[in-house]
Amino acid sequence: METIVKVKRQLNTASLTLKGKLIFSLLFISCMLYAGFASAQFPGGGSAPAIKGAISGKVIDSLTNKPLDYATVTLYRKGSKVPITGSLTDEKGGFKLNEVATGTYTLTITYIGYPTKTIEPVTTTLSKPDNNVGSIIVSAGARSLNEVVVVGQQALIENKIDKLVFNAEKDITSAGGNASDVLRKVPMISLDVDGNVSLRGSQNVKILINGKPSGAMASNAADILKSMPADQIKNVEVITSPSAKYDAEGSAGIINIVTKKKNVSGVSGSISGGLGTRQNNTNLNLNINKNRLSLSGNVGVNSGWPNKTTNSFAFQNSETGASSSTNGQNESNRQFIMGSATLGYDINNFNSISSSINLRSGAFKNSGTSVSSNITPGLATSNYSSITSNKNAMGNFDWNSDYTHKFKKEGAEITLAGQWSHSNADIDYSSDYTNTSFGRDQIAANLAKNNEYTVQLDYTLPINKVLKLETGTKGIFRNINSTYDFFNPNSSGAYALNDSTSNKYSYNQNVYSGYGVLTAALKGGFSLQTGLRLENTFISGKSNNVELGLQPFNQNYISFIPNVAISKSLKNGHTVKLSYTKRIQRPSIQFLNPFLNTSDLSSQSQGNPELSPETAQTLDLNYSAFIKGSVINASVYYRHTDDIIESYISSVPFTSVDNQGVSSTRNVSRTQYANIGKNNSIGSSLFGSVTLAKIVTLRGSVNLFTYKPQVISAFQSDANANTNTYLQYNVFLSGGVKLPGGFAAETFMVQNSPRRTFQGQNPSFSIWNIGMKKEILKKKGTIGLNVVQPFSDNLIFQTKINSGAITQSSQFAVPIRSVGVNFTWNFGKMNYGQQIPKKKKGINNDDLKQGDSNGQGGSGGM
């Protein structure tokens, strides 16, 4: 073990090159911020700062003559369709829009079930910059909003023209859980046994946090989601047809997790927590918004009680007669802490700066025992047992800053943004074998470091009242280094480094891109958006262990990514949209690293540096409607994917040395990756919601899609009968009731079909959750109770491979039944009439293919 400590100390020593990049990045971004501040303080032209005023008023329901709280107030420049600012009314129906320049405006009031109320003209002048429009009376009607909300002020799901939004903070059953629990409830999203995320059945999805990428999320999304408290999440945005403005990666679309931050003036915050039989959470939010300064902070802790899981594995090759099997059990737990801080300052009406940092740290711990058997013709059967322990410690941060300059032309602006993402994964494990003639005791230490630097420039120009141009350029520079050292006992019993199995690997990826998007508001309720993105990708990788014989590799390819979308607004809020998108999915390091991982001798894995990126083209027809409190959203889509990346299982001979130094060659199962061919998928999504008697809401969504691979000749013998057309699905059903006295209850059920691969199928998944809560402390707090899977002790996941002569099956059982209590307390004095503008600029690295559902799980290393 002393040798491992020395090795780790060497690995933890940062290179001068990395330090130089860090110092340069910090100085560059800081200089840009200071330059922006200086130019804002001394703008050209010598013009005096414009006088700003406020527009205020009160919204009243015509039937009850009572104030309408949480109504949406939006301000437009007269004759323009682009909103300038907006707010929600407070509990007294009041609103106040500050920092309004003098001019003539149009004011709109929208509320679920009410027609839009328009007030114009609303005028402010230099002599009278403030305008109180007084009481605004609105009447209930059959019209609806352009952006449909499911349930009034307690909306759980919003169906917007460019995305679907799941408001996690409105979901009673999410309290006390983690981000994985939240995503399982979002329409069109599903998670497999390892926690890997799929959108419309495809794992080629990019996950963002607050509209920005995370280096840790790109390399190990499943573990990060499990460590993120649900109480930190405000909502989840699902974008299935991204424009060319987004990075080309993520062929299925983009998932954006938005964390809680109140955009209202004053000092506010919340404390929440949950205590349960499966996991525990504590979370603190603090927000300070004063005039042009906004500051927010968040810290959360997520931990799990030790839980025991069971697993079994069986592999057989009917041609060679080889087989192996394993049965075991594990005990695992986790502890994580996460924090974030954001600072924003509007220097004046034309210049603003912001900076934020997100930090995460924690570890997963596992220990277990197993009994295994390996049968290879011509050799004696090897029966052995093993004791294993594993610790996966990780820490990461994402730091970004941006500067925005707004031009005098309404809506015209330019943004310069920079980001640095850094993550470490430190994995230690040991395996002690008993009575084995195949394999020997080993200790392993893996340290993986990931640094990602991004610079981005975006420009928006409204050409006239109907045309808007968006253009920009971006550079992403990734550097990953991983050292994987194995130690085996020597003749004296002391552990020594095994050069033949250890590996030191470095990987670099640079992506240069530019885009242009043109949006047009046409006559007759039509709108058109078209765009093109160009990306140039450079990839290199090499192993520093020459004994392994791994050759360095280099890749370079150019991608043209077009998109077209046309929508038609019909009467009463109905909308039809037709879109075409092209997306790519680059393989990440876990798919490319050629290192042979033999930590489990019977079930090995190896990457493929010659993988090409996937390319997907999607045609999507969508219809949405809001009819008297009911929501309908339906879509039909066709997706063609070239160069599909999938894992495949093969039986290979492998030579190993046992604890007595005797070598033997046996057949084992090995998981590798390849571009296996093409796939044509036809799918349909249907989401609906209905509100009954104003207190009961029922929701449901169904996503159906086909899987029909066209496998290349090299894998046709393995594909067997699995090139047929398979129908897959995921179903979500939920219901909620709101009762007098601040009581509310919610229940949901999720059912996912098994996910097909060209060799077999991965597990299905279903879960049922019940939650209830009670408002306390004059509606500033809540207490609640959650029950997960009340009638099942465990969730059982089964994976089956049936490919020619090879059959493989595995079963994994994890405890799921749990009961938990939770609480939330909101504090501080807040003025809902003054809303701080949201910061939507910055970095979006919509990048890298996520983990594969092959039973290997996410390790965070290579």
Side-chain angles (χ1 to χ4, degrees):
M1 296 301 292
E2 183 178 350
T3 304
I4 300 178
V5 173
K6 291 180 179 179
V7 171
K8 284 190 175 184
R9 287 174 179 172
Q10 294 173 357
L11 294 175
N12 282 320
T13 302
S15 67
L16 291 175
T17 302
L18 177 58
K19 288 182 178 178
K21 288 182 178 179
L22 169 59
I23 294 172
F24 174 78
S25 299
L26 290 173
L27 288 175
F28 175 76
I29 298 298
S30 299
C31 289
M32 293 308 304
L33 292 179
Y34 280 118
F37 180 80
S39 64
Q41 296 300 308
F42 305 102
S47 59
I51 295 177
K52 298 297 180 64
I55 295 175
S56 59
K58 187 175 184 179
V59 180
I60 304 295
D61 189 331
S62 65
L63 295 179
T64 64
N65 202 32
K66 293 182 178 180
L68 273 182
D69 56 347
Y70 291 94
T72 302
V73 182
T74 308
L75 187 68
Y76 300 84
R77 181 76 66 177
K78 186 178 179 180
S80 173
K81 296 182 179 180
V82 180
I84 297 173
T85 186
S87 175
L88 297 176
T89 56
D90 59 23
E91 59 186 7
K92 296 182 180 180
F95 67 90
K96 186 178 182 181
L97 307 177
N98 290 310
E99 295 293 309
V100 178
T102 57
T104 304
Y105 300 93
T106 298
L107 193 68
T108 64
I109 312 296
T110 53
Y111 193 75
I112 291 300
Y114 290 67
T116 299
K117 181 81 171 184
T118 301
I119 298 127
E120 62 178 351
V122 178
T123 304
T124 63
T125 64
L126 292 175
S127 59
K128 190 179 179 181
D130 297 332
N131 188 341
N132 187 334
V133 297
S135 295
I136 302 172
I137 309 299
V138 295
S139 303
R143 293 177 60 191
S144 62
L145 310 181
N146 290 330
E147 295 185 346
V148 177
V149 184
V150 176
V151 197
Q153 67 192 56
Q154 293 297 321
L156 181 64
I157 297 173
E158 296 175 82
N159 178 31
K160 301 190 176 184
I161 192 169
D162 60 340
K163 60 192 170 187
L164 182 142
V165 181
F166 180 85
N167 291 311
E169 63 180 349
K170 304 296 184 183
D171 179 26
I172 300 172
T173 61
S174 292
N178 56 45
S180 295
D181 299 325
V182 173
L183 290 183
R184 287 190 174 100
K185 308 169 192 178
V186 181
M188 297 183 289
I189 294 178
S190 60
L191 279 75
D192 65 16
V193 57
D194 297 316
N196 297 311
V197 179
S198 296
L199 176 59
R200 284 178 167 180
S202 173
Q203 289 191 350
N204 299 335
V205 59
K206 179 60 182 178
I207 302 175
L208 308 175
I209 298 179
N210 294 323
K212 297 177 174 62
S214 167
M217 191 71 76
S219 61
N220 199 356
D223 286 346
I224 294 298
L225 292 172
K226 293 174 187 176
S227 69
M228 186 176 186
D231 290 341
Q232 285 191 353
I233 300 175
K234 175 180 173 62
N235 58 49
V236 178
E237 300 175 343
V238 181
I239 306 171
T240 55
S241 300
S243 73
K245 184 175 182 178
Y246 292 92
D247 288 346
E249 297 237 26
S251 57
I254 295 170
I255 297 173
N256 182 29
I257 299 175
V258 181
T259 58
K260 292 180 178 178
K261 183 179 69 171
K262 295 185 183 295
N263 291 313
V264 292
S265 65
V267 178
S268 62
S270 66
I271 298 175
S272 60
L275 179 64
T277 58
R278 185 166 64 99
Q279 60 183 336
N280 310 296
N281 284 317
T282 303
N283 197 60
L284 170 65
N285 287 282
L286 180 63
N287 305 276
I288 302 173
N289 291 321
K290 185 66 174 176
N291 297 325
R292 295 173 296 183
L293 177 68
S294 63
L295 177 65
S296 65
N298 177 287
V299 61
V301 177
N302 176 269
S303 63
W305 297 107
N307 65 82
K308 292 184 178 181
T309 61
T310 60
N311 60 83
S312 63
F313 168 85
F315 173 83
Q316 185 174 3
N317 187 331
S318 59
E319 290 183 349
T320 64
S323 65
S324 60
S325 63
T326 299
N327 291 280
Q329 62 179 12
N330 289 276
E331 182 175 282
S332 62
N333 59 38
R334 67 175 185 271
Q335 297 87 30
F336 274 86
I337 183 170
M338 306 176 70
S340 65
T342 301
L343 173 66
Y345 182 66
D346 294 329
I347 303 169
N348 55 31
N349 196 44
F350 299 101
N351 300 276
S352 63
I353 57 174
S354 67
S355 185
S356 65
I357 187 167
N358 294 272
L359 304 100
R360 306 169 193 88
S361 179
F364 292 88
K365 296 180 180 180
N366 298 275
S367 61
T369 60
S370 63
V371 177
S372 303
S373 175
N374 181 281
I375 299 175
T376 298
L379 296 175
T381 299
S382 176
N383 297 311
Y384 58 94
S385 60
S386 63
I387 301 174
T388 61
S389 64
N390 176 288
K391 180 181 179 181
N392 182 354
M394 59 184 70
N396 61 83
F397 66 82
D398 303 302
W399 176 79
N400 60 79
S401 292
D402 61 72
Y403 162 70
T404 299
H405 174 74
K406 296 181 179 181
F407 298 93
K408 292 183 179 181
K409 184 178 180 63
E410 191 70 44
E413 65 179 40
I414 188 168
T415 299
L416 175 65
Q419 177 168 293
W420 175 33
S421 294
H422 173 82
S423 63
N424 283 335
D426 192 355
I427 304 172
D428 302 322
Y429 75 85
S430 64
S431 300
D432 297 324
Y433 296 98
T434 304
N435 300 324
T436 180
S437 58
F438 181 55
R440 54 177 167 171
D441 298 346
Q442 64 179 359
I443 295 175
N446 172 221
L447 179 64
K449 290 187 177 182
N450 179 12
N451 283 284
E452 179 179 294
Y453 307 92
T454 306
V455 178
Q456 179 174 335
L457 184 68
D458 298 288
Y459 176 64
T460 301
L461 174 65
I463 299 174
N464 51 41
K465 293 182 179 180
V466 297
L467 290 177
K468 182 176 72 171
L469 174 67
E470 297 173 279
T471 185
T473 184
K474 184 176 185 178
I476 307 174
F477 312 94
R478 296 186 175 97
N479 175 258
I480 301 174
N481 291 282
S482 179
T483 301
Y484 215 139
D485 288 332
F486 285 97
F487 301 85
N488 299 110
N490 55 24
S491 57
S492 63
Y495 280 88
L497 180 66
N498 187 336
D499 291 328
S500 64
T501 58
S502 300
N503 187 38
K504 296 180 180 180
Y505 199 80
S506 61
Y507 170 84
N508 295 279
Q509 182 189 89
N510 297 332
V511 182
Y512 305 89
S513 61
Y515 73 89
V517 177
L518 185 65
T519 303
L522 307 177
K523 294 181 179 181
F526 285 94
S527 63
L528 174 68
Q529 184 183 79
T530 181
L532 177 66
R533 187 178 188 91
L534 173 66
E535 294 191 346
N536 195 358
T537 304
F538 298 85
I539 299 175
S540 65
K542 67 175 182 178
S543 170
N544 293 326
N545 191 341
V546 295
E547 187 173 337
L548 293 176
L550 299 176
Q551 298 299 316
F553 75 93
N554 293 275
Q555 285 189 19
N556 172 225
Y557 50 86
I558 297 176
S559 304
F560 293 90
I561 311 297
N563 84 281
V564 179
I566 184 169
S567 65
K568 165 67 174 175
S569 296
L570 307 175
K571 293 181 179 180
N572 299 322
H574 297 220
T575 303
V576 178
K577 179 181 178 182
L578 178 66
S579 62
Y580 164 80
T581 56
K582 182 181 179 181
R583 311 282 291 169
I584 65 173
Q585 194 70 46
R586 300 181 186 91
S588 60
I589 185 62
Q590 70 181 94
F591 295 89
L592 297 169
N593 188 356
F595 169 60
L596 178 61
N597 189 334
T598 60
S599 56
D600 183 342
L601 293 175
S602 298
S603 181
Q604 304 175 2
S605 63
Q606 185 178 34
N608 178 7
E610 298 181 359
L611 287 175
S612 298
E614 293 183 358
T615 303
Q617 301 180 72
T618 303
L619 187 65
D620 193 332
L621 177 62
N622 178 269
Y623 169 76
S624 62
F626 180 68
I627 307 171
K628 295 182 179 180
S630 299
V631 173
I632 298 175
N633 180 269
S635 64
V636 178
Y637 58 91
Y638 168 77
R639 181 188 298 134
H640 173 79
T641 307
D642 292 307
D643 296 320
I644 305 170
I645 299 174
E646 283 194 10
S647 62
Y648 69 95
I649 308 296
S650 59
S651 177
V652 297
F654 180 73
T655 302
S656 179
V657 180
D658 62 19
N659 284 333
Q660 286 71 43
V662 179
S663 64
S664 61
T665 301
R666 295 180 178 270
N667 286 96
V668 299
S669 168
R670 183 171 294 172
T671 299
Q672 295 171 286
Y673 302 95
N675 297 108
I676 60 100
K678 303 177 180 180
N679 180 46
N680 292 302
S681 178
I682 299 174
S684 178
S685 297
L686 176 64
F687 168 76
S689 173
V690 59
T691 301
L692 306 174
K694 296 184 179 181
I695 62 170
V696 177
T697 302
L698 303 178
R699 309 174 194 88
S701 70
V702 179
N703 182 42
L704 303 173
F705 55 96
T706 61
Y707 173 78
K708 182 177 175 55
Q710 300 175 22
V711 181
I712 60 177
S713 58
F715 294 100
Q716 285 180 357
S717 61
D718 292 330
N720 200 17
N722 294 340
T723 55
N724 297 326
T725 300
Y726 297 93
L727 181 64
Q728 302 177 88
Y729 63 86
N730 56 277
V731 179
F732 168 85
L733 297 172
S734 74
V737 58
K738 186 177 181 181
L739 301 173
F743 285 95
E746 186 93 23
T747 183
F748 81 90
M749 182 177 294
V750 175
Q751 174 67 54
N752 297 323
S753 68
R755 189 174 69 87
R756 300 295 311 194
T757 68
F758 86 102
Q759 281 191 321
Q761 66 181 34
N762 289 311
S764 60
F765 179 89
S766 63
I767 192 170
W768 180 32
N769 198 336
I770 305 170
M772 57 195 72
K773 72 174 183 178
K774 170 70 170 68
E775 292 179 339
I776 58 175
L777 303 175
K778 297 181 180 180
K779 296 186 178 183
K780 289 187 176 182
T782 62
I783 55 174
L785 175 69
N786 274 326
V787 181
V788 179
Q789 209 75 355
F791 303 117
S792 301
D793 289 331
N794 299 293
L795 281 181
I796 299 176
F797 301 92
Q798 293 181 326
T799 301
K800 297 179 180 179
I801 299 295
N802 186 0
S803 183
I806 297 175
T807 58
Q808 180 173 298
S809 64
S810 62
Q811 179 172 296
F812 178 73
V814 56
I816 189 62
R817 178 191 291 158
S818 65
V819 179
V821 294
N822 55 80
F823 73 92
T824 300
W825 174 52
N826 297 296
F827 61 88
K829 183 178 180 180
M830 298 169 289
N831 175 14
Y832 285 92
Q834 181 178 347
Q835 186 172 12
I836 305 300
K838 283 186 177 181
K839 302 294 183 184
K840 291 188 177 180
K841 303 300 178 183
I843 299 297
N844 279 323
N845 289 354
D846 319 306
D847 215 57
L848 299 182
K849 182 178 178 71
Q850 303 296 320
D852 191 28
S853 171
N854 56 29
Q856 302 298 316
S859 65
M862 291 178 279

